[in-house]
Amino acid sequence: MTMETSIKLFEEKQVRTHWDEKEQQWYFSIIDVIEVLTNSSNPRDYWFKMKLRVKTEDGLELSTICRQLKLKATDGKMRLTDVADTKTLLRIIQSIPSPQAEPFKQWLAKVGYERMQEIADPSQSIDRARENWQKLGRSEKWIQQRMTGQETRNKLTDYWQESGVEKGDEFALLTNIIHQEWTGLTVKKHKEIKGLKSQNLRDHMSEAELIFTALAELSTR
């Protein structure tokens, strides 16, 4: 079974999701995912027993890395449901002994191996980024502009760090100010116009947008 086939399983069966606007990330119903990957007739019981098993074997309390949100149940009522973000969900999938979960595990192992390669040889991350953009149908001119813009961005964030600006909220605040100055839009609003959620806005910019973004960040630095 391929990774693409596994993803189609999620498309064929309903997996309830919730988009957190503030955190800018998706949350997935854990019992829905378990039902898809195990075909269990009682996914709630499977999830309960799985938490006990993982705690015994790995000493990890899965409930502490999950959260609860109200999602619509089969009876139409909003009920508290265990949910997980993408990172946590992938950790949970690792503990599911099912053939349908195997492609996800293989993909995680591949990503982990590639990440170790990139740490040893950073140029590989650039090559992989170029390959991914090519798969998205981006032209060589666009790719070059995207990479040039990223270099400009890195120099700016390096300067911020040297000046004592903290990563996270402060970086996001300054980035938003710069973006709003040249576009008249917040980053959030710009993503909404393009129909984006968790995707990287710069990966969906036109060549002109990339040029003006780089110019704005260069001017700021």
Side-chain angles (χ1 to χ4, degrees), residues 102-164:
E102 196 58 35
F104 290 93
K105 296 177 186 179
Q106 292 175 8
W107 175 74
L108 284 171
K110 180 175 179 290
V111 170
Y113 174 67
E114 290 177 350
R115 180 58 182 146
M116 291 175 67
Q117 286 182 312
E118 290 169 3
I119 292 173
D121 181 8
S123 66
Q124 291 195 30
S125 64
I126 298 173
D127 293 337
R128 287 199 177 95
R130 180 182 289 275
E131 288 175 10
N132 288 333
W133 287 323
Q134 287 173 338
K135 289 176 182 177
L136 290 172
R138 303 292 189 253
S139 67
E140 284 301 316
K141 185 180 178 183
W142 184 96
I143 292 172
Q144 187 58 49
Q145 189 58 57
R146 178 70 174 86
M147 295 178 76
T148 300
Q150 189 60 50
E151 183 180 356
T152 301
R153 170 68 179 177
N154 291 343
K155 288 180 179 178
L156 175 61
T157 54
D158 286 346
Y159 180 78
W160 282 346
Q161 283 188 286
E162 292 168 5
S163 303

Side-chain angles (χ1 to χ4, degrees), residues 18-19 23-30 33 47 50 60 62 64-67 83-96 104-105 107-108 111 198:
H18 170 77
W19 171 254
E23 297 180 15
Q24 291 288 290
Q25 65 178 346
W26 286 102
Y27 282 92
F28 304 85
S29 166
I30 296 171
V33 172
W47 172 230
M50 179 180 165
L60 174 64
L62 288 175
T64 62
I65 59 174
C66 302
R67 60 182 290 189
V83 297
D85 59 20
T86 305
K87 179 181 177 181
T88 302
L89 185 64
L90 290 172
R91 171 62 185 85
I92 291 170
I93 290 173
Q94 283 181 304
S95 297
I96 297 178
F104 290 93
K105 296 177 186 179
W107 175 74
L108 284 171
V111 170
S198 59

Side-chain angles (χ1 to χ4, degrees), residues 17-80:
T17 60
H18 170 77
W19 171 254
D20 191 301
E21 197 67 46
K22 183 178 180 181
E23 297 180 15
Q24 291 288 290
Q25 65 178 346
W26 286 102
Y27 282 92
F28 304 85
S29 166
I30 296 171
I31 59 170
D32 290 356
V33 172
I34 287 175
E35 184 177 7
V36 169
L37 292 181
T38 66
N39 292 320
S40 172
S41 59
N42 192 340
R44 290 184 184 279
D45 185 57
Y46 189 105
W47 172 230
F48 175 76
K49 292 178 179 177
M50 179 180 165
K51 286 187 286 184
L52 295 177
R53 174 170 55 81
V54 171
K55 184 177 181 180
T56 302
E57 295 176 356
D58 302 334
L60 174 64
E61 184 69 67
L62 288 175
S63 294
T64 62
I65 59 174
C66 302
R67 60 182 290 189
Q68 287 194 323
L69 292 173
K70 281 192 174 183
L71 300 177
K72 184 177 287 188
T74 53
D75 60 5
K77 295 181 179 179
M78 301 297 289
R79 300 185 185 279
L80 280 175

